[in-house]
Amino acid sequence: MIPDPAKSPPAPRADAPRRRVPWWRMSLSADTWRRTLYVLLALPVGIVCVPLSILGASTAAARLQRGLAARLLALHLAQPRSRRVDGRVIGHALLSLPLNVVAWVLIVYLWGLAVGNLAYPLRPDSDDLANAWGGPSLAGAWAVHGAAGLALLFVAPWIVDAVTAVQGRLLRRMLSSG
């Protein structure tokens, strides 16, 4: 059976407000993890899109970038009306690459630091507690590192949101018709 497009729900607009999650649940929300996944995938996709756009497959590169943003950021961008969008796609590929590198490094470091601090007793260097923050006891060191990891769990979603907002703005500016 073919679905009737008139009865299907409309796709969310790019400027539609997202459902707000309370700040204490943001690190566990699906939206935060989709945005984190976007940051992790935007770098390899961007690396693929640079040669694609330069070698003449700019429509494929733009479709790949818009598809990733639609799936993970719920950012549905209209395809530009003009047939000559090669310059904008090449510009986006070249401008987004350093942004994606910085975003990837920042987000991987941030989440790694949060998990590493929460799992402090499991780290291989947790045997030497003489110079550890909160040392010289394991309980004190774990309490200080655990508190830092817990604080990062609450801060990381805000940083992920800010980073993907910048990436989304660049996508909207370069690859959308609006």
Side-chain angles (χ1 to χ4, degrees):
M1 181 168 168
I2 299 172
D4 185 12
K7 293 182 182 180
S8 65
R13 295 185 351 235
D15 57 350
R18 293 191 331 231
R19 197 180 116 216
R20 285 285 156 203
V21 176
W23 65 270
W24 62 87
R25 290 191 351 203
M26 279 183 72
S27 61
L28 301 176
S29 76
D31 185 55
T32 297
W33 290 105
R34 271 193 305 273
R35 289 176 174 277
T36 300
L37 184 60
Y38 176 82
V39 171
L40 296 176
L41 292 177
L43 179 61
V45 168
I47 290 171
V48 168
C49 285
V50 169
L52 272 179
S53 61
I54 291 174
L55 295 176
S58 62
T59 55
R63 192 170 47 245
L64 190 61
Q65 293 279 358
R66 280 196 295 272
L68 186 66
R71 284 183 190 266
L72 297 176
L73 297 181
L75 186 66
H76 299 281
L77 304 171
Q79 189 168 356
R81 290 183 187 99
S82 69
R83 292 261 187 219
R84 286 308 285 171
V85 293
D86 295 341
R88 291 175 72 183
V89 174
I90 292 170
H92 177 265
L94 294 175
L95 286 174
S96 69
L97 195 57
L99 176 65
N100 291 340
V101 168
V102 170
W104 193 92
V105 168
L106 177 67
I107 299 306
V108 166
Y109 179 73
L110 191 65
W111 284 117
L113 198 59
V115 170
N117 278 332
L118 286 172
Y120 182 75
L122 303 175
R123 288 176 27 185
D125 65 340
S126 65
D127 294 339
D128 181 26
L129 298 174
N131 296 324
W133 291 356
S137 69
L138 180 61
W142 187 81
V144 169
H145 286 85
L150 196 58
L152 283 173
L153 279 180
F154 291 117
V155 170
W158 296 95
I159 296 172
V160 169
D161 195 35
V163 165
T164 54
V166 171
Q167 290 174 317
R169 233 175 273 129
L170 182 64
L171 275 162
R172 196 175 299 118
R173 181 78 140 180
M174 301 291 287
L175 296 182
S176 179
S177 65

